[in-house]
Amino acid sequence: MKTMKKITALLLAVLMLASLCACTNLRSSKAEWGYKTDAQEYAIGVYNYSLFSAYNQAYSVISQLQGEDFDSEVSILDISATFDEAKGEEKALDFILSEADYITKNIIAIDNLIAENGIELDAELEASALEQAKKDWYLGSYYEEYMAYGYTAAPYKDMLEPYGVSFESFYESSYLASVKQNAIFDFFYAKGGEKEVPEGEIKNYFEDNYTSYSYFTANLYESTTDATTGETVNKALSAEDQKKAKEDLELYVKMIAQGSSFDDISKAHTAAANLSANPAISNVENLENTALGEEVKIALEGMKDGEAKVIYVGAEDTTVAYFLYKKPITQETVSYVASETNYDALLKELKGDEFLDYIDSLTASVECTRNESVIAKFNPAIFEEEL
């Protein structure tokens, strides 16, 4: 599935404090509009936020491409790269201006759909979005987490106001726009929607793309702490101990094949290894998005439903054995899909691309007027000036 781009991307944009100075005389009056339609005006701050986000997208692409050769003191505007596969290579400046225009029109397209279809926003979700936007604006993203570790969060206010972005424009362009986009998606695809997806299709998608698995690990090494340096030292178990551990694990595989349950096996392992708690982990997920290591993922993908398997991961002195069990996914379908959260996530995976293509098509045909004289004041070079 495509990334939920444009509006959602604004929420995830990297705010690069190292390259952007938070001091400038640029300000925008609420009376200054950047874009307008027959129904609504959009403050220049909405465009500025789009420009800021587009600049950071370009900055991220170029810095990653150049790696250690990247010079943060050099302007990126004349550097060419492929920012959009559909367009091929282009100058960063051209991409930024085009993308900022597109993002702004994307917001307009969403507002048009809301108005045309009389879609009402969930008041609770809207209030929650506003509250989170205020926290990020005045305190910074992940403020509590940063403070817990003794770090200082960077308020969006300090980063965006110098470039003519007010709180209202920030909120309208990001959190509120995201709430609107989700409301439109539900209007079309959720239960009772114009393009409601049959539950059977959701269930089929789940069974075709998700995996139910359980596992526990066993270390074939032991760790000690060096009394002098305090460093952790790993040492492989003796050949005899490794042989015994592997024989036990292979026995568990045979027991699964003969009808034993994974729960029985994990309890037997817990007792045999003298563990204080059962180490078994179970999960149901799309392995394309798993946090499991690549070797474990590949092993699970190659297993049959109801099969158990042991794989060994790591170097000789840090080898970890994974006892894997793949549960028949059909045994999970009813309970998994019954969860509203899971159902909504599956629906977005299944129809997300179709929805985004639809929004893209509407964005491309948006009719609006640009306030060129005001927009011209906010060239992307403002993000690179020493102010």
Side-chain angles (χ1 to χ4, degrees):
M1 178 185 153
K2 296 177 185 175
T3 302
M4 293 296 280
K5 55 189 176 181
K6 307 309 177 192
I7 294 303
T8 305
L10 299 183
L11 298 174
L12 303 177
V14 178
L15 301 178
M16 298 170 186
L17 292 172
S19 64
L20 302 181
C21 176
C23 170
T24 176
N25 293 319
L26 289 172
R27 290 291 185 270
S28 63
S29 165
K30 289 184 179 179
E32 289 183 325
W33 56 271
Y35 286 63
K36 71 176 179 179
T37 65
D38 291 339
Q40 187 172 344
E41 285 188 357
Y42 294 82
I44 187 61
V46 171
Y47 172 76
N48 293 347
Y49 186 55
S50 298
L51 191 69
F52 186 83
S53 299
Y55 178 88
N56 279 290
Q57 288 182 49
Y59 188 101
S60 178
V61 169
I62 292 172
S63 62
Q64 289 182 39
L65 284 174
Q66 294 189 355
E68 294 181 357
D69 294 329
F70 179 71
D71 185 350
S72 61
E73 300 298 319
V74 174
S75 171
I76 67 167
L77 300 182
D78 289 326
I79 298 176
S80 295
T82 300
F83 305 101
D84 184 332
E85 292 294 338
K87 294 182 179 179
E89 188 171 292
E90 59 184 324
K91 280 188 178 181
L93 176 61
D94 296 332
F95 165 78
I96 294 166
L97 293 175
S98 174
E99 185 71 358
D101 180 67
Y102 186 92
I103 292 172
T104 308
K105 288 179 178 177
N106 193 235
I107 294 169
I108 296 173
I110 287 174
D111 282 345
N112 289 345
L113 272 175
I114 292 285
E116 290 167 7
N117 293 283
I119 300 173
E120 294 186 5
L121 304 184
D122 184 300
E124 188 174 332
L125 291 177
E126 194 172 358
S128 177
L130 179 60
E131 180 181 359
Q132 188 59 54
K134 286 181 178 178
K135 285 183 178 180
D136 288 349
W137 182 256
Y138 292 107
L139 300 177
S141 291
Y142 305 108
Y143 173 78
E144 291 83 0
E145 291 84 347
Y146 272 92
M147 294 298 292
Y149 288 96
Y151 296 106
T152 302
Y156 280 69
K157 181 179 187 294
D158 295 346
M159 291 182 280
L160 296 173
E161 268 193 343
Y163 300 107
V165 181
S166 67
F167 170 76
E168 291 77 14
S169 293
F170 165 69
Y171 173 58
E172 181 181 355
S173 301
S174 54
Y175 292 89
L176 181 58
S178 184
V179 170
K180 290 177 180 178
Q181 180 171 279
N182 286 327
I184 295 169
F185 181 88
D186 290 342
F187 174 81
F188 285 113
Y189 295 106
K191 293 177 181 179
E194 288 190 3
K195 300 180 180 182
E196 179 181 356
V197 180
E199 188 168 298
E201 188 175 343
I202 295 287
K203 289 180 177 179
N204 289 338
Y205 174 82
F206 170 73
E207 293 175 359
D208 290 342
N209 293 276
Y210 277 65
T211 299
S212 176
Y213 64 87
S214 299
Y215 73 93
F216 59 79
T217 62
N219 292 343
L220 300 187
Y221 66 95
E222 57 184 0
S223 298
T224 58
T225 302
D226 188 290
T228 303
T229 65
E231 295 181 353
T232 299
V233 178
N234 298 317
K235 181 182 179 181
L237 297 179
S238 67
E240 182 178 347
D241 287 343
Q242 288 198 47
K243 179 182 178 183
K244 177 64 170 61
K246 291 179 179 180
E247 287 176 346
D248 287 346
L249 292 170
E250 292 302 332
L251 175 61
Y252 297 153
V253 172
K254 293 178 182 179
M255 291 172 66
I256 289 285
Q258 293 169 359
S260 294
S261 69
F262 176 83
D263 285 344
D264 289 340
I265 297 301
S266 65
K267 290 175 183 176
H269 171 71
T270 301
N274 294 316
L275 301 175
S276 59
N278 192 323
I281 295 174
S282 297
N283 197 12
V284 178
E285 66 174 343
N286 187 329
L287 292 180
E288 290 302 311
N289 305 314
T290 187
L292 293 171
E294 188 68 14
E295 293 168 275
V296 178
K297 173 191 170 185
I298 292 173
L300 283 169
E301 289 175 334
M303 293 169 62
K304 298 177 181 178
D305 285 349
E307 180 183 359
K309 185 176 185 179
V310 180
I311 67 168
Y312 300 92
V313 177
E316 183 178 351
D317 58 351
T318 57
T319 301
V320 177
Y322 280 79
F323 181 86
L324 306 173
Y325 173 69
K326 190 172 184 178
K327 183 178 180 179
I329 192 62
T330 53
Q331 295 180 16
E332 303 281 5
T333 306
V334 173
S335 60
Y336 192 92
V337 176
S339 162
E340 184 176 345
T341 299
N342 292 340
Y343 185 93
D344 289 345
L346 290 169
L347 187 59
K348 284 185 170 63
E349 288 182 24
L350 183 58
K351 293 299 181 179
D353 282 355
E354 179 179 300
F355 174 67
L356 290 174
D357 287 342
Y358 174 59
I359 296 296
D360 280 350
S361 67
L362 294 179
T363 300
S365 60
V366 159
E367 294 184 2
C368 61
T369 302
R370 284 167 44 107
N371 192 342
E372 299 294 351
S373 62
V374 175
I375 289 173
K377 298 177 184 177
F378 299 92
N379 186 285
I382 63 176
F383 304 129
E384 300 183 334
E385 294 172 358
E386 289 288 342
L387 302 170

